[in-house]
Amino acid sequence: MRRLFAPLRPESGHLLHLDALRLIASAGIVIVHLSGCVDAGAWSKHLLIAMGPLTLFVDMFFAVSGFVIAFVYSLKIEDARSYGSFLRKRLARLVPLHWATLVIFVLIDVLLRSRNIHVNHSEGYEWRCLPTNFLLLHSTGLLCPNPSFNGVSWSISAEMIMYFTAPALFWVMRRNVTALGLMAAGIWLVLTLGTHGANGWYTWTWNGGFIRAIPSFIFGAWLFAVREAISRVPCASVAFWLCVCGFLVGCCVGLPAIGLLLTLYLAVAFGIAADAQQRRSRIVSMLAAGGQLTYSSYMLHTLVIMMLLNGIADRILDTHGLARNLLVLIAFGMVWPVSYLSLVLFEKPARRWISGGKGKASSSDNFEAAGRFGNVAEAESGSVAHDSASKN
């Protein structure tokens, strides 16, 4: 039992800054959704406006994902068989918890309908949206003209679509790194100039969120291609924390979303550089250990909010003011043990079963999780292929 519920520890001593950044980002996503439940009186609207830009952490996740996928697979996807193995492992990573939460939301809808209970945003339970959710296509807007079921999972759909395009990106990267960087910059610029304000491309979710993922994912892959140059950036760890703090302060004071997004891109780049330089601190190591909970907390926090706040706080206790805000804090705290139990008892066993692994999780299982990168220092010394193979 003690071994089953062991404390979380970084599975590698390398790239801890990116793991720490992932935990900070996942906490930010939880906070932005909890901010709508806070009873702040006349300040409630201002709180929502200040917390809104935290959703840009999703774009940071896409950049990190582009980096890790390039690191692990850029030299490994050589034919249809290796491509199929890659997709199987990525499905094993994403599908179990996505399908599990989808089933829970469907059951909630059945229960609410059977008791004639009205809910806000009932369009989120439209069954015509079920096929695209099941097939991870609900970031395309096909068949479903609104957010549905576990609304945050649109980004998982976008992520999976980017995985299908990965071999094409690797092909470009092997032939011309500059072209890959120009591709990311060009798409980013076209989207930025072509969309504005409330309809900015960085706000798209179910209505084209897969397009939103493209520039950030390619940018992450490009960072992998230029990682050796990045590793020479001086004071990278300090710059990393300045970018993180600058982003958070910028959210509070209302800086433009595009500037905030660029700050997050810089945080990813400086994080890669800091870890390549082995510039680690105690706080980074502590935060990095929680990086494993990123996906779990992202997918499960909406259920925690629904059960504790929308259900108990609103419909049973009818709380307001201080009592309600205390429940908001409790909800935030509950997300993490729930995520831990999901990771240990459900996600890891399911991933091993789908990917064909047996017994204890190997280092490859752990590495497959977005954000578990491996040893960049070894990669830069010429052992990328060996290191990538040993991680899978």
Side-chain angles (χ1 to χ4, degrees):
M1 184 64 69
R2 182 182 299 177
R3 186 174 183 179
L4 179 62
F5 296 106
L8 291 175
R9 292 187 176 88
E11 294 161 296
S12 169
H14 311 289
L15 297 186
L16 297 179
H17 284 78
L18 287 184
D19 277 343
L21 183 58
R22 291 176 60 241
L23 181 64
I24 294 169
S26 61
I29 296 297
V30 175
I31 288 171
V32 77
H33 290 129
L34 281 173
S35 64
C37 302
V38 173
D39 186 353
W43 290 92
S44 295
K45 182 177 180 180
H46 298 287
L47 179 64
L48 287 173
I49 293 174
M51 297 297 103
L54 292 177
T55 57
L56 293 172
F57 274 131
V58 175
D59 301 276
M60 184 222 76
F61 283 134
F62 290 140
V64 171
S65 182
F67 181 90
V68 68
I69 294 303
F71 186 89
V72 179
Y73 290 104
S74 61
L75 297 178
K76 295 188 67 177
I77 301 178
E78 301 174 342
D79 50 29
R81 182 176 180 180
S82 58
Y83 181 50
S85 176
F86 159 69
L87 292 178
R88 181 180 179 182
K89 290 179 178 180
R90 301 322 298 168
L91 285 170
R93 161 72 180 159
L94 300 180
V95 159
L97 189 55
H98 170 62
W99 282 350
T101 56
L102 181 59
V103 168
I104 292 173
F105 274 92
V106 169
L107 292 177
I108 290 173
D109 179 53
V110 171
L111 177 63
L112 294 175
R113 289 175 186 270
S114 67
R115 295 175 177 258
N116 294 316
I117 298 176
H118 173 75
V119 295
N120 296 327
H121 306 294
S122 58
E123 70 278 2
Y125 294 94
E126 291 185 9
W127 284 49
R128 62 173 171 171
C129 300
L130 195 55
T132 51
N133 274 265
F134 181 80
L135 296 173
L136 286 172
L137 294 174
H138 52 299
S139 65
T140 63
L142 295 173
L143 303 179
C144 186
N146 47 256
S148 54
F149 300 103
N150 192 5
V152 298
S153 66
W154 70 267
S155 66
I156 310 307
S157 164
E159 186 98 355
M160 195 66 217
I161 290 173
M162 293 310 303
Y163 294 158
F164 278 100
T165 68
L169 296 180
F170 299 158
W171 183 87
V172 174
M173 182 173 64
R174 285 192 292 266
R175 283 157 179 77
N176 194 320
V177 172
T178 302
L180 187 69
L182 290 175
M183 183 188 303
I187 296 173
W188 188 92
L189 191 59
V190 168
L191 290 174
T192 300
L193 295 177
T195 61
H196 305 281
N199 192 42
W201 64 272
Y202 42 83
T203 67
W204 297 349
T205 55
W206 58 270
N207 54 342
F210 73 101
I211 298 175
R212 172 179 174 178
I214 294 173
S216 298
F217 191 90
I218 298 177
F219 172 70
W222 177 77
L223 286 178
F224 165 75
V226 298
R227 66 198 180 284
E228 185 175 355
I230 292 175
S231 68
R232 294 192 290 268
V233 173
C235 303
S237 183
V238 174
F240 168 82
W241 284 113
L242 285 175
C243 287
V244 172
C245 294
F247 171 78
L248 297 176
V249 172
C251 290
C252 295
V253 301
L255 292 183
I258 287 298
L260 294 173
L261 179 56
L262 291 174
T263 303
L264 283 179
Y265 285 166
L266 285 175
V268 174
F270 286 128
I272 294 169
D275 286 319
Q277 299 166 8
Q278 301 293 298
R279 303 291 187 183
R280 65 191 67 174
S281 64
R282 180 174 299 180
I283 188 172
V284 167
S285 298
M286 290 175 58
L287 293 173
Q292 299 176 66
L293 299 179
T294 299
Y295 182 57
S296 310
S297 61
Y298 182 81
M299 294 294 288
L300 294 172
H301 77 275
T302 50
L303 283 172
V304 173
I305 292 173
M306 178 180 292
M307 299 297 183
L308 183 59
L309 298 177
N310 302 143
I312 296 176
D314 289 344
R315 295 184 176 273
I316 299 177
L317 301 179
D318 191 26
T319 56
H320 300 280
L322 179 60
R324 179 174 182 81
N325 294 337
L326 286 175
L327 285 175
V328 170
L329 291 176
I330 292 172
F332 180 82
M334 283 183 59
V335 168
W336 311 105
V338 169
S339 300
Y340 176 85
L341 292 174
S342 171
L343 177 69
V344 173
L345 300 179
F346 174 66
E347 294 171 62
K348 285 187 175 181
R351 291 172 191 170
R352 291 195 296 270
W353 181 71
I354 293 175
S355 61
K358 298 180 180 179
K360 182 180 177 181
S362 65
S363 60
S364 65
D365 298 320
N366 299 328
F367 194 85
E368 283 299 308
R372 317 307 309 170
F373 300 127
N375 193 332
V376 168
E378 291 180 7
E380 290 173 353
S381 66
S383 58
V384 173
H386 171 76
D387 185 63
S388 297
S390 68
K391 300 297 183 184
N392 290 275

